[in-house]
């Protein structure tokens, strides 16, 4: 039985939400009027004083729905019982989208970064920051095997987390294969490649794949790449931090 359009729209609405946790992170977002908030979740065990009192007052001033939960229930919402500090916030993020939208609304040109197993939240945040500042139109981020969009990512992104589309997917190889069928060119970054970034003619629709901090691009993802490219380096340096690589890609000249 096919799901109704109402159900599909509701599902996409909730999938587009990002849940952040932790008292400082939540208060920071509440102070930003440009961020749309769906609901504030508080543990019933929180004492109404200090930062909790401020968070509650700021949510009330903005007309944000406040929901109280047992600590265990709150931890299921935050998905981080050790660090949520009894606070979670649902953010409506129109820039957090299903990768299926890329397939449903094809574009004539675009440049994406696909992240294959980036586990470090600081790296993810810095990648988002560079991509938002440069010539990147979006980031492909698998739900499994990658860092989650968290307070650490938000902090490392220096306020740019909601400025650039982040396309979530279940598995990167499948979405890359689907993009290939629509004419996108997929390039994996590898220090062992013969072709270099400096000599690459970047096609109108290009996905650059950045691999895991220690192991690089996985075999399953490499199999979906049109080619591997390297960044030429001097003095025997073998590799760069993945966030630095992302910055170099982000500031490649934009195509015509």
């Amino acid at each position: 039985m096919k799901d109704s359009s109402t159900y599909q729209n509701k599902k996409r609405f909730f999938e587009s939400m990002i849940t952040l946790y932790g008292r400082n992170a939540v208060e920071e977002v509440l102070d930003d009027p440009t961020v749309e908030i769906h609901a504030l979740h508080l543990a019933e065990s929180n004492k109404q004083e200090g930062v909790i009192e401020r968070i509650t007052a700021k949510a009330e001033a903005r007309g944000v729905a406040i929901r109280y939960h047992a600590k265990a229930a709150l931890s299921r919402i935050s998905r981080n019982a050790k660090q949520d500090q009894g606070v979670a916030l649902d953010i409506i993020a129109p820039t957090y989208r299903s990768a299926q939208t890329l397939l449903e609304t094809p574009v004539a040109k675009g440049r994406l970064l696909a992240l294959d197993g980036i586990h470090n939240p600081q790296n993810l945040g810095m990648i988002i920051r560079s991509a938002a500042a440069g010539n990147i139109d979006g980031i492909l981020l698998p739900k499994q095997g990658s860092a989650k969009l968290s307070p650490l990512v938000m902090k490392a992104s220096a306020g740019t987390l909601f400025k650039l589309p982040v396309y979530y997917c279940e598995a990167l190889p499948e979405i890359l294969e689907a993009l290939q069928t629509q004419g996108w060119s997929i390039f994996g970054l590898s220090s062992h490649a013969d072709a270099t970034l400096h000599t690459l003619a970047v096609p109108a629709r290009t996905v650059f794949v950045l691999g895991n901090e220690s192991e690089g691009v996985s075999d399953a993802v490499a199999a979906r790449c049109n080619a591997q490219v390297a960044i030429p380096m001097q003095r025997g340096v073998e590799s760069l931090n993945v966030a630095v690589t992302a910055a170099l890609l982000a500031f490649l000249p934009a195509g015509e």
Side-chain angles (χ1 to χ4, degrees), residues 45-99:
S45 57
N46 290 333
K47 293 182 180 179
Q48 280 297 323
E49 59 186 23
V51 66
I52 294 296
E53 190 173 34
R54 294 198 304 271
I55 286 172
T56 303
K58 290 175 181 181
E60 289 174 344
R62 291 187 56 169
V64 173
I66 303 175
R67 298 168 183 168
Y68 293 89
H69 309 270
K71 187 66 175 73
L74 188 283
S75 296
R76 286 194 292 272
I77 293 169
S78 72
R79 298 183 183 179
N80 198 317
K82 293 182 179 179
Q83 297 179 357
D84 66 33
Q85 300 175 307
V87 179
L89 193 69
D90 290 332
I91 298 168
I92 299 172
T95 56
Y96 188 57
R97 310 167 185 173
S98 169

Side-chain angles (χ1 to χ4, degrees), residues 136-201:
I136 299 296
D137 299 299
I139 291 174
L140 281 168
L141 183 67
K143 285 187 173 182
Q144 303 298 322
S146 298
K148 310 300 180 187
L149 297 180
S150 68
L152 286 175
V153 173
M154 184 176 74
K155 183 176 181 181
S157 77
T160 63
L161 177 57
F162 307 115
K163 295 183 182 294
L164 181 80
V166 175
Y167 297 98
Y168 61 83
C169 60
E170 295 301 328
L172 198 54
E174 286 74 8
I175 195 68
L176 291 178
E177 186 173 12
L179 287 170
Q180 252 183 346
T181 63
Q182 291 193 350
W184 289 76
S185 298
I186 318 295
F187 296 99
L189 271 292
S190 170
S191 60
H192 306 297
D194 294 326
T196 70
L197 198 60
H198 293 172
T199 59
L200 178 68

Side-chain angles (χ1 to χ4, degrees), residues 3-4 6 19 35 63 74 104-105 146 153 183 190 225 229-230 235 241:
D3 293 328
S4 68
T6 301
T19 300
V35 179
L74 188 283
E104 295 167 0
T105 54
S146 298
V153 173
S190 170
C225 293
V229 293
R235 301 174 184 87
N241 173 274

Side-chain angles (χ1 to χ4, degrees), residues 2 5 9 20 57 63 71-72 102 117 134-135 143 146 151 168 206-207 217-218 223-224 231 234 245 247:
K2 189 176 180 179
S5 59
N9 290 336
L20 294 180
K71 187 66 175 73
L102 288 168
N135 301 312
K143 285 187 173 182
S146 298
Y168 61 83
T206 296
V207 182
V217 176
S218 65
R224 267 71 174 187
I231 296 173
Q234 308 299 321
T245 301

